[in-house]
Amino acid sequence: MAAVGATVVTAAPAAAQQPVGVGPVPITFQMTDENGKWFNSGLNLFGSSSLAVAVLPRLGTDIAVPSIGGPVLPSDIGGFVGGVTGGLTDGLTEGLLGGLGGGGGSAPAPVPSGSTAPAPTGTVPAPAAPASGLGLGLGDVLGLEQTLAAVQGIGGSTPEAAGLALEAESLIGQLSDTVAGLPAGVPVNLAELPVGVDLQGVLDSLAEFAIEGPPVQVTFDVDPAVSEGIRNPIGLIAPAEAAGFPWMDAGGAFFGEKTILLTEPGLYAFTDSVAPYMLGAVVVDDPLTLGLDFGRSLLVNGKDAPVPSNADIIQRLVNAFFTITNPNNWQNFSATEEVAWNPIQPPAPILQYDAQGNPVLIPNLDAYYDQYFNYPRMLPALNQLPETPGVGEVWIATQMEDFAGKEKHGAITKIDAETWTIDRKIAGTDINMNNPHNMWTDENYEFLYANEWFDNETDVFDRETGETIRQIEVGPNPAHVMTRPDTDQLVVGINAGTDIVELAPGATEITRRIHVDPESGITPHPHAHWTSHDGKTVVAPNTMTDEA
């Protein structure tokens, strides 16, 4: 990982890597086909390559690398080591959150000084933290040194601010003493701490002497050398005042570059409208706030109004981000026994705001999410087969599966429904098959059709032997494939484009292209079409227009 300062780039060991872009030094996400590196910052933070942290430039401050990590929780040591070495609608948001668990509908109230955190209710007892959080005073892990450095910088460069800076230094010391005995996993409502109220008031006054500098520049690079399919990065989350959100272009997916400017401090998250589980994020941190600043209120793509930055939907999306973008956080089941699942979040201090506008400081995100989402949890052994035998075959696109002999991810898995056992794997090593997304067969069950969602081809396999028969280019990022009941022609949706494509039986040639929404002026990105029983009608949902 590289740490990017105002003028220099230096390499750092994996465990100390701090992904930073300091405006006007830009942040670049390279879009790739690689699992967990779909938005690749070229960095690695606790197993995720999709996060960057930027410092909001302020005159008089010189903060190049924000402090973003405290000590790792003892229960996470194993996973941590593996990690560092290793118009959308509500449907998108809920899809990202599905299976990851909710936090009960609203964020739990911060626990005032002297109280204790509620016990988790998960199936696995959470390890008890020491009374001081992690065996250290919270002042040691809250990143207070960054705020202190900013305060000292302003005081040293602006004589008129020197008195305020000295007052802020004293209050930072008092805050450190106040929070030192609190548990790391419990959010602290700074408005309930007299020293917190006083400190925030002084920091706000100091901000008047340290005006904001240029915005943070973020570039999305879609290079066919590492992304065989075109991509359409758009905004998922942004501060309520962010200009241009959600950065959706009528042209849709592309090869090339797209640059946006982040003008406000807070949490920014991005997704690809073609494959919406591809996620990237930037936290633009204000050095005159405590912890990493998520902003006061946040916009969520598909929601009509901003939500507080500590809202349940924000907690769930952030949790989903670190689960999805870190393959070490994915669930791994055993066929013989229950196993614990304990996804790791960065042990970083996070500043959020509640619905009343009160600043809420989360001392350690990992400790907090262990309680909020009841981690660790037990995953059941996968040894309970259906008692009733099935009929025929079940074909599954194991899209992210890795195979020796090929660079790209993905395979096709055949299940014998009578015995409920795996009968065959088709990895497509001879064609370097790239993320097969959806399959179909012909009327005689001779062929197996599969679309390469991260490329531009429909593949044809022998259903009995799994041998590759042919590939045919159909258009960017084909997602779903069906056949017409009346003619046995293939119907393929071009997810990153504009068309439904019709092919001759056996996918020997393209016979017709149908533009699904020629009047909208927007590349519609059709996905998950369905063909009627008589083959006369195809219904294609368009992910960019909220229409079908």
Side-chain angles (χ1 to χ4, degrees):
M1 178 174 295
V4 182
T7 58
V8 297
V9 178
T10 58
Q17 292 165 350
Q18 308 251 355
V20 179
V22 182
V25 176
I27 293 169
T28 297
F29 288 108
Q30 186 171 58
M31 312 292 289
T32 81
D33 293 340
E34 188 174 350
N35 282 349
K37 295 185 178 180
W38 305 295
F39 280 75
N40 187 9
S41 64
L43 314 170
N44 188 310
L45 179 62
F46 301 104
S48 175
S49 299
S50 303
L51 175 66
V53 177
V55 177
L56 182 73
R58 283 189 178 275
L59 298 182
T61 64
D62 187 22
I63 306 299
V65 180
S67 175
I68 58 175
V72 181
L73 297 179
S75 61
D76 289 337
I77 288 294
F80 168 72
V81 173
V84 297
T85 58
L88 296 175
T89 64
D90 290 345
L92 164 71
T93 303
E94 294 307 316
L96 290 173
L97 303 177
L100 297 177
S106 61
V111 177
S113 176
S115 299
T116 57
T121 57
T123 57
V124 182
S132 60
L134 297 172
L136 294 173
L138 285 189
D140 298 321
V141 300
L142 289 180
L144 297 180
E145 69 277 3
Q146 173 183 316
T147 307
L148 180 61
V151 166
Q152 292 172 337
I154 297 171
S157 62
T158 309
E160 300 93 322
L164 285 170
L166 288 174
E167 184 180 357
E169 288 187 46
S170 174
L171 290 170
I172 289 173
Q174 294 176 44
L175 177 65
S176 178
D177 294 339
T178 299
V179 302
L182 300 181
V186 179
V188 179
N189 187 337
L190 296 177
E192 295 181 355
L193 300 177
V195 64
V197 175
D198 293 342
L199 175 58
Q200 192 58 59
V202 175
L203 293 177
D204 289 343
S205 297
L206 283 171
E208 298 177 8
F209 296 94
I211 62 173
E212 295 179 7
V216 175
Q217 177 178 301
V218 175
T219 297
F220 306 99
D221 180 16
V222 188
D223 184 347
V226 291
S227 175
E228 292 186 335
I230 58 179
R231 295 289 161 210
N232 186 32
I234 62 174
L236 176 64
I237 301 173
E241 302 82 8
F245 179 83
W247 304 289
M248 295 175 65
D249 302 317
F254 60 89
F255 282 129
E257 292 186 349
K258 171 181 176 178
T259 297
I260 64 174
L261 298 177
L262 310 184
T263 59
E264 303 294 330
L267 172 65
Y268 296 80
F270 311 99
T271 185
D272 172 34
S273 71
V274 178
Y277 60 78
M278 293 183 170
L279 300 171
V282 175
V283 177
V284 178
D285 185 48
D286 186 341
L288 289 178
T289 59
L290 305 177
L292 292 181
D293 191 353
F294 270 23
R296 292 182 177 272
S297 61
L298 298 172
L299 298 166
V300 178
N301 199 334
K303 297 293 184 182
D304 293 332
V307 299
S309 59
N310 80 333
D312 178 66
I313 190 172
I314 300 301
Q315 313 293 10
R316 291 190 290 140
L317 284 170
V318 171
N319 179 55
F321 171 85
F322 285 108
T323 303
I324 292 169
T325 63
N326 181 358
N328 294 287
N329 280 344
W330 296 358
Q331 293 180 340
N332 289 293
F333 290 82
S334 168
T336 59
E337 61 183 358
E338 290 186 339
V339 294
W341 177 51
N342 189 20
I344 300 167
Q345 318 289 343
I350 303 296
L351 181 64
Q352 299 179 338
Y353 289 81
D354 63 19
Q356 289 72 43
N358 297 315
V360 178
L361 183 63
I362 299 171
N364 183 304
L365 186 68
D366 191 35
Y368 177 54
Y369 277 2
D370 278 357
Q371 298 183 47
Y372 195 93
F373 295 103
N374 300 323
Y375 295 139
R377 304 178 193 169
M378 295 304 295
L379 304 178
L382 298 185
N383 54 11
Q384 299 297 315
L385 300 178
E387 296 181 358
T388 303
V391 176
E393 305 165 351
V394 179
W395 291 86
I396 302 170
T398 45
Q399 184 175 317
M400 299 177 187
E401 190 170 10
D402 290 326
F403 267 85
K406 59 180 287 192
E407 175 188 355
K408 300 300 183 180
H409 307 286
I412 301 169
T413 301
K414 177 187 175 185
I415 305 295
D416 184 331
E418 184 173 355
T419 60
W420 299 113
T421 57
I422 296 176
D423 181 71
R424 180 184 305 129
K425 293 278 189 179
I426 300 176
T429 55
D430 56 329
I431 58 175
N432 199 22
M433 182 170 61
N434 191 353
N435 281 263
H437 182 67
N438 186 253
M439 294 91 63
W440 205 261
T441 189
D442 64 306
E443 62 184 7
N444 296 318
Y445 303 106
E446 178 182 357
F447 305 122
L448 182 71
Y449 303 122
N451 282 339
E452 296 193 27
W453 196 26
F454 287 11
D455 202 346
N456 61 2
E457 295 152 328
T458 294
D459 302 331
V460 184
F461 300 98
D462 185 298
R463 191 187 64 83
E464 290 289 343
T465 67
E467 296 296 318
T468 303
I469 296 176
R470 70 178 60 87
Q471 288 184 296
I472 183 170
E473 293 188 8
V474 292
N477 307 70
H480 289 233
V481 55
M482 297 182 70
T483 55
R484 290 182 53 170
D486 55 341
T487 65
D488 208 30
Q489 292 173 292
L490 284 74
V491 182
V492 175
I494 308 305
N495 189 189
T498 61
D499 302 335
I500 293 291
V501 174
E502 195 172 74
L503 298 94
T508 56
E509 62 176 345
I510 295 175
T511 57
R512 183 167 54 151
R513 290 184 179 274
I514 305 171
H515 196 305
V516 298
D517 195 0
E519 298 178 358
S520 69
I522 297 176
T523 301
H525 292 180
H527 190 112
H529 66 277
W530 194 257
T531 303
S532 64
H533 70 283
D534 57 5
K536 305 299 183 185
T537 303
V538 174
V539 179
N542 299 326
T543 59
M544 286 287 284
T545 63
D546 293 335
E547 298 174 341

